[in-house]
């Protein structure tokens, strides 16, 4: 544990002398920074996509909570009779846990945002709504519809929320896809940074042989490279991540409607997810560079 | 006491055997010349002396440790007590001469000079005080050799290995370099010097108790008085 801690402290504080032994320029520097920036930028979107998908599936699963609505529209004199008949049928339908007539007050509160408070709902020929909760086994929508057609001609069974089940599955898949993309991006970054580190080491073969000649151990030599690549990756990822965050911020839809497009964004504490992107990229670079430095150095003698 | 010991050591690159069955004990404070025709294996022999090459068979002991049983890091650690000067002495070209000379201190984590010698004295000892801030690519061949010598001795090593240190310089500079090596030997350091410059060897023999090893036909032999 203390070894890891010391390594981390050494990595952050570094050693100016040691940093200087590898000449600073070279295309591997810009390659690493650019790759990390690009991957972090994409990772921001992948995270946003995953979060939006999981938000959507949460929302949909909630409304999936086994509820549907029966709507009865009929001329005023018949409506109460049809309502009673419908309740009777619902009470005897297997799979229905409860059925409840939605009161005028509730209807008013549902409609007010759309029509304003001045509308005299009492005098409007509003359809009656029955809220149906199914039990765990669920009911057979098709046969319920057939029974209703015979006795309650004005009834329309609206069970569309049940159809959202495949949508929830799709949202889950989308979330998984986002996560998988993040893993892919990390792996791609690791691959490119490995190549860059190897290129940097062969470009600095003379530096390595001089260090070796004067008694530098492998750790000393590899640390000079590892530290540099880790910081480049971290800085690149900070840059790319920040840019991605700005783009997502302006991309974010201002509507309340939930869809994968308008929901692509971060809400509240979800922004904190972005903080992990640069350190994650740093860790990826650290592991990739350390591994390839170790391999190169061991291959030398 | 011997600092380097060869025990039936043989070495071959991908081709045939280059050095065969070499047994030799280099004792502390001795001064050796290694000579022999070009391609006979002088450089190869020196590389085994500082652990850059490991014999294919037999053993080489550095400070009583078998090279074969040492890890890379142990070899690196042991080589801090061995100052090496190569013909094509390499430096970190982006750092000044002074920084290059001081690099072994930084690498070993010691930030002070031993032997009460400071960097300035070391620079003036090798006559590079005026070139302290130059970059290595700006140095002449002789200046490079002297910078390499300074870098080789800054850790106050027990052994100095020099592979044709006078290869790129004129006679006067050769003599100067030899004087520096002789001084180090008089301070008690073991010196191994590969060279085929016979007049240099003769000059050295007039000043120190130097032995001459001759590599010929894969073997190393102590050469007689007649060179
Ligand atoms: N890395 C290598 N791989 C294969 N063969 C090598 C290698 N290094 C040296 N040799 C061969 O081994 C032989 C001895 O090389 P070495 O450098 O030890 O000779 P030398 O005595 O130092 O010669 P010189 O006086 O020219 O410097 C040469 O024939 C050389 O071609
Ligand atoms: Mg040679």
């Amino acid at each position: 544990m203390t070894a890891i801690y010391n390594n981390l402290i050494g990595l952050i504080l570094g050693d100016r002398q040691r940093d200087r032994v590898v000449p600073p320029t070279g295309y591997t520097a810009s390659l690493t920074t650019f790759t990390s920036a690009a991957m972090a930028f994409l990772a921001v979107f992948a995270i946003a996509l995953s979060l939006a998908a999981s938000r959507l599936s949460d929302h949909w699963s909630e409304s999936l909570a086994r509820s549907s609505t029966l709507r009865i529209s009929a001329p005023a004199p018949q409506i109460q009779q049809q309502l009673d008949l419908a309740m009777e049928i619902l009470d005897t339908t297997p799979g229905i846990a409860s059925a409840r007539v939605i009161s005028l007050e509730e209807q008013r509160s549902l409609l007010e945002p759309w029509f304003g408070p001045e509308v005299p709902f009492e005098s409007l020929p509003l359809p009656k709504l029955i809220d149906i909760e199914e039990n765990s086994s669920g009911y057979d929508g098709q046969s319920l519809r057939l029974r209703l057609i015979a006795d309650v001609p004005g009834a329309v069974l609206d069970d569309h929320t049940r159809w959202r089940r495949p949508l929830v599955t799709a949202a889950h898949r989308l979330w998984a896809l986002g996560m998988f993309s993040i893993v892919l991006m990390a792996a791609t970054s690791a691959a490119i940074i490995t190549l860059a580190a190897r290129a940097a080491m062969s470009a600095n073969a003379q530096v390595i042989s001089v260090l070796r000649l004067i008694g530098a151990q492998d750790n000393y030599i590899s640390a000079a490279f590892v530290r540099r690549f880790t910081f480049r990756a971290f800085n690149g990822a900070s840059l790319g991540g920040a840019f991605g965050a700005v783009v997502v911020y302006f991309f974010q839809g201002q509507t309340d409607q939930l869809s994968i497009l308008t929901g692509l964004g971060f809400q509240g504490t979800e922004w904190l997810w972005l903080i992990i992107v640069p350190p994650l990229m740093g860790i990826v670079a650290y592991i990739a560079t350390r591994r390839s430095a170790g391999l190169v150095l061991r291959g030398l003698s | 006491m011997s600092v380097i010991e060869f025990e039936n050591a043989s070495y071959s690159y991908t081709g045939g055997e280059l050095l065969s069955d070499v047994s030799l004990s280099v004792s502390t404070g001795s001064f050796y010349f290694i000579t022999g025709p070009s391609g006979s294996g002088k450089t190869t022999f020196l590389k085994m002396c500082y652990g850059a090459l490991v014999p294919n068979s037999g053993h080489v002991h550095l400070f009583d440790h078998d090279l074969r049983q040492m890890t890379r890091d142990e070899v690196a650690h042991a080589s801090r007590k061995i100052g090496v000067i190569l013909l094509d002495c390499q430096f970190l070209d982006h750092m000044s001469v002074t920084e290059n000379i001081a690099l072994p201190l930084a690498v070993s984590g010691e930030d002070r000079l031993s032997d009460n010698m400071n960097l300035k004295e070391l620079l003036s000892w090798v006559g590079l005080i005026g070139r302290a801030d130059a970059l290595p690519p700006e140095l002449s061949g002789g200046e490079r050799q002297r910078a390499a010598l300074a870098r080789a001795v800054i850790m106050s090593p027990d052994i100095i290995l020099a592979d044709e240190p006078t290869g790129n310089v004129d006679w006067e500079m050769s003599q100067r370099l030899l004087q520096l090596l002789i001084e180090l030997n008089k301070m008690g350091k073991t010196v191994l010097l590969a060279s085929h410059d016979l007049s240099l060897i003769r000059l050295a023999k007039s000043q120190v108790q130097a032995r001459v090893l001759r590599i010929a036909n894969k073997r190393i032999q102590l050469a007689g008085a007649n060179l």
Side-chain angles (χ1 to χ4, degrees), chain A residues 13 41 46 58 72 102 146 156 173 179 187 194 205-206 230 282-283:
Chain A
L13 295 182
F41 181 80
D58 281 354
I72 299 168
I102 293 177
L146 288 174
V156 176
R173 290 206 186 113
M179 287 294 151
T194 299
Q206 176 168 335
T230 304
I283 292 170

Side-chain angles (χ1 to χ4, degrees), chain A residues 20 206 209 215 217-218, chain B residues 72-73 80 90-91 94 99:
Chain A
R20 293 241 302 116
Q206 176 168 335
S209 86
Q217 294 177 336
D218 284 355
Chain B
R72 275 175 58 77
D73 281 349
R80 289 178 193 170
Q90 293 181 325
F91 298 94
H94 60 290
E99 284 175 303

Side-chain angles (χ1 to χ4, degrees), chain B residues 98 113 117-129 132:
Chain B
T98 313
L113 296 177
M117 199 201 285
N118 69 36
L119 205 52
K120 262 219 170 80
E121 281 172 336
L122 185 60
L123 279 166
S124 66
W125 179 65
V126 293
L128 284 176
I129 200 87

Side-chain angles (χ1 to χ4, degrees), chain B:
Chain B
M1 200 199 120
S2 66
V3 279
I4 304 174
E5 191 158 354
F6 282 69
E7 193 187 321
N8 308 111
S10 301
Y11 194 87
S12 44
Y13 290 105
T14 40
E17 201 165 57
L18 185 66
L19 292 172
S20 174
D21 208 18
V22 175
S23 291
L24 176 77
S25 176
V26 177
S27 52
T28 314
S30 52
F31 196 116
Y32 279 97
F33 276 100
I34 297 112
T35 183
S38 176
S40 57
K42 299 183 290 297
T43 301
T44 306
F45 172 78
L46 283 183
K47 279 185 172 170
M48 284 196 276
C49 291
Y50 66 94
L53 294 177
V54 180
N56 299 119
S57 67
H59 299 273
V60 173
H61 297 268
L62 291 188
F63 305 107
D64 293 325
H65 293 289
D66 190 344
L67 209 49
R68 216 181 263 290
Q69 258 128 55
M70 290 163 82
T71 64
R72 275 175 58 77
D73 281 349
E74 282 167 353
V75 172
H77 195 264
S79 72
R80 289 178 193 170
K81 289 186 277 180
I82 307 174
V84 183
I85 307 154
L86 300 176
L87 176 64
D88 60 331
C89 28
Q90 293 181 325
F91 298 94
L92 302 187
D93 289 344
H94 60 290
M95 287 165 72
S96 73
V97 169
T98 313
E99 284 175 303
N100 266 285
I101 290 173
L103 201 57
L105 296 172
V107 162
S108 68
E110 289 175 30
D111 37 17
R112 53 177 193 83
L113 296 177
S114 30
D115 274 68
N116 307 323
M117 199 201 285
N118 69 36
L119 205 52
K120 262 219 170 80
E121 281 172 336
L122 185 60
L123 279 166
S124 66
W125 179 65
V126 293
L128 284 176
I129 200 87
R131 306 293 281 144
D133 296 323
L135 293 177
E138 301 163 359
L139 297 184
S140 74
E143 287 170 335
R144 286 177 78 86
Q145 296 292 349
R146 283 178 283 150
L149 177 62
R151 184 179 66 187
V153 302
I154 195 162
M155 290 287 286
S156 184
D158 298 330
I159 307 170
I160 314 278
L161 301 176
D163 192 5
E164 314 207 35
T166 59
N168 286 332
V169 297
D170 62 20
W171 175 241
E172 204 176 326
M173 186 53 73
S174 300
Q175 280 178 288
R176 243 181 100 187
L177 277 165
L178 181 67
Q179 289 316 317
L180 294 175
L181 289 168
I182 288 172
E183 266 181 60
L184 287 166
N185 181 245
K186 285 184 172 156
M187 287 162 64
K189 320 244 177 254
T190 311
V191 178
L192 275 78
L193 204 166
S195 175
H196 36 221
D197 188 340
L198 293 186
S199 39
L200 195 72
I201 297 174
R202 274 189 213 106
L203 180 64
K205 287 193 97 170
S206 69
Q207 296 179 48
V208 286
Q209 175 73 41
R211 272 166 282 195
V212 180
L213 295 171
R214 191 172 173 77
I215 304 184
N217 305 321
K218 306 186 207 168
R219 305 273 167 174
I220 296 195
Q221 288 152 349
L222 211 54
N226 55 326
L227 278 169

